Structures are given as structure tokens and as C-alpha cells.
Amino acid sequence: MSGQSLLVPGEITPVRSVPGNIRRPEYVGKPAPTPYTGPEVQDSDTVERMRIAGRIAAQAMEEAAKHIAPGVTTDELDRVAHEFMVDHGAYPSTLGYRGFPKSLCTSLNEVICHGIPDSTVLRDGDIVNLDVTAYINGVHGDNNATYLCGDVDEESRLLVERTRESLNRAIKSVRPGRQINVIGRVIESYAKRFGYGVVRDFTGHGINTSFHSGLIVPHYDSPHATTVMQPGMTFTIEPMLTLGTHDYEMWDDGWTVVTKDRRRTAQFEHTLVVTETGADILTLP
């Protein structure tokens, strides 16, 4: 396991501007979004708009990932993704969501999710999760991936590789007529083979015109996740696996979630739509 020191909060730069002609989600400037009351099953027009949003989010994430290297700040990664999205007419969905101050999440090493880009400098051996969501044409597309920075130890590298595989297996489990909990069952059974923890309190979610529709997609086998998948349903799958405990603590910023034992964690995510035969990934570059 890496012997690097634990993370501490850095300095956050001012909020980046978005051109006035780019449509904002309704929650920007408000304490919280308006609760979603629409359907989880989307029509074909909404799905195609989500595919555009998902493509921009995936491309923005790829562009930011090209800059991952020792010595680069997480704020610089935010700048790259922000500029890519606005240059393509999209609003960065996280910017202003419940007061979040940046255009993507950067979660390093022991950070499970929702890390705020700041003056933190990437170090050789870090693992870096980028979580990017784009809003365009009235819909969101949400994805994330964990990247290696420099020379990463074998234990961490395998964690990243296997977390990606857990997402791939979960996507293959999607079928109309099955309950949502099959997704978590597949992820949890795979993670247990390696003794990994599976984060329980942060989940996948329904997504469409709403960033988080209210549909919950657990990554463990939850007896409560009995919603039956139907063609046209759109949601994310985003497993978070840990080298140790799945228990967590939160920094004073109210966003940054870290493993309680401070061991490393990785995450991967796609937005998808349920089809007649399986799942179609909407966040492909």
C-alpha cells in the first residue's frame, strides 16, 4: 500500500464564469433543486439529448485526464473540464449544485467521492477520480473514472482495474424485468472476491432532466432496491470500492467524503438507458 501522507484541504479559487447564453439547470442559485416528479422512463427524444450531454461529459473528462501528472493541481483539472464543457455549449452540472463551487469532482486516494478541486498538487503514485456531468438541451449526462498518476503501487492499480471491471459486469446485468438490486448483487459479489469494501451510503441514481431524480441504484445487494427495470429508464451505475472499510467520514467542507480508515478507494461511472435487451451506455466519448 502507498505510504503517502493523507490529504488535507487546499485553497479554492473563485467560481469560474459560464457565458450567459448557456442554459443553466433550474437549481443554480438556489439552496437545493426542485424535487423531480416526472417519470423514470424517458422518451426517445430525451434519451438522444442525454446521449449528447453524456458525450460532452465523457469528452471533458478525457480532456482533463490528459493533464493528470505529478505537480498538476486539481484546480487545473477543473479548469480544463470547465472550459471544454462551456466551449461545447454545456453547463457543468456540479457548478452551483447545492452550493458546490466547482465544475467537476476530483477525489484522490482515500477520498470516496465529491472532492472539491483546489490547490492540492497531484503526487507521483496518486489515484485520481474525475467525476464530470454536463447539462445541455435540458438534460444531464454523468460519468466518472479513476486514473493513475505516475508510478502507482500494485495494490492501488489492481483496485482501480477491478473497480472498472465491477462497473462493466454491473452494466451487463441490466435487463428489463429485473429488479435494480441485481446491479448491486453483481458488484458486491465481485468485490468480495478480493476482500474489498463496497460503499453503501453513496449510490447510483436516476438522471434525465433532473441531475438526481430520486431513483436510487445501490452498489450492494439491497433488499429495498426492488424497482423493476423497464426499457427507457435512465440512471447511473457508479460503484465505489475500498481497500478497507466502507465506512466513511466527511470533511468540514460538507462535501469531501473519505474512508474512515483512510485506505484507498476507486470509482467508475456511466449513465445508461435500459433497452429491450440490456443497457445502452450514454456517456461514451
Side-chain angles (χ1 to χ4, degrees):
M1 180 181 174
S2 170
Q4 288 181 328
S5 59
L6 298 177
L7 295 165
V8 295
E11 295 295 321
I12 299 175
T13 58
V15 173
R16 301 185 196 282
S17 63
V18 177
N21 64 315
I22 292 179
R23 179 178 173 184
R24 272 77 167 149
E26 59 83 23
Y27 53 73
V28 174
K30 296 165 53 178
T34 302
Y36 178 72
T37 57
E40 298 297 345
V41 173
Q42 307 304 312
D43 60 29
S44 58
D45 173 69
T46 302
V47 170
E48 290 312 306
R49 285 185 286 131
M50 289 180 66
R51 196 184 304 278
I52 293 168
R55 183 182 305 124
I56 292 172
Q59 291 172 338
M61 186 174 72
E62 278 195 343
E63 194 62 32
K66 292 176 185 177
H67 293 75
I68 291 175
V72 175
T73 65
T74 55
D75 187 67
E76 173 64 8
L77 303 179
D78 180 79
R79 182 193 66 79
V80 173
H82 177 94
E83 291 183 358
F84 185 95
M85 284 185 273
V86 299
D87 285 350
H88 288 77
Y91 186 92
S93 300
T94 61
L95 185 62
Y97 179 77
R98 296 183 182 271
F100 192 83
K102 290 294 173 180
S103 298
L104 81 165
C105 300
T106 50
S107 301
L108 279 57
N109 301 338
E110 70 269 21
V111 178
I112 294 171
C113 57
H114 303 159
I116 301 174
D118 58 18
S119 60
T120 297
V121 175
L122 301 182
R123 302 165 296 182
D124 185 59
D126 283 342
I127 58 174
V128 184
N129 180 272
L130 303 181
D131 192 339
V132 182
T133 311
Y135 177 80
I136 190 171
N137 297 327
V139 296
H140 300 268
D142 185 4
N143 69 162
N144 78 54
T146 303
Y147 300 89
L148 310 182
C149 180
D151 185 16
V152 175
D153 67 273
E154 180 75 355
E155 185 178 43
S156 299
R157 188 187 63 77
L158 285 172
L159 173 68
V160 171
E161 180 181 300
R162 290 164 175 166
T163 305
R164 180 191 294 110
E165 176 63 16
S166 77
L167 173 60
N168 293 338
R169 289 175 180 234
I171 292 171
K172 290 176 183 176
S173 77
V174 172
R175 290 285 188 284
R178 290 181 175 177
Q179 292 183 345
I180 286 282
N181 59 12
V182 70
I183 293 168
R185 189 176 309 139
V186 166
I187 292 167
E188 187 174 39
S189 63
Y190 180 71
K192 280 184 173 178
R193 289 168 49 182
F194 311 103
Y196 295 154
V198 181
V199 173
R200 301 167 79 89
D201 293 328
F202 299 90
T203 67
H205 53 89
I207 183 170
N208 38 66
T209 57
S210 172
F211 194 172
H212 299 87
S213 73
L215 175 68
I216 294 173
V217 183
H219 304 119
Y220 66 100
D221 188 3
S222 169
H224 306 295
T226 56
T227 300
V228 175
M229 291 183 269
Q230 303 173 58
M233 285 181 69
T234 49
F235 53 82
T236 72
I237 304 176
E238 44 188 297
M240 291 152 263
L241 305 186
T242 66
L243 289 176
T245 182
H246 64 73
D247 292 329
Y248 70 92
E249 294 174 347
M250 188 175 288
W251 283 2
D252 291 342
D253 61 22
W255 284 104
T256 306
V257 179
V258 295
T259 54
K260 193 166 186 177
D261 58 10
R262 301 303 191 269
R263 297 196 71 191
R264 287 186 166 190
T265 175
Q267 182 184 16
F268 284 83
E269 173 188 20
H270 275 304
T271 295
L272 52 88
V273 59
V274 181
T275 68
E276 296 290 345
T277 57
D280 184 13
I281 297 172
L282 300 178
T283 39
L284 293 176

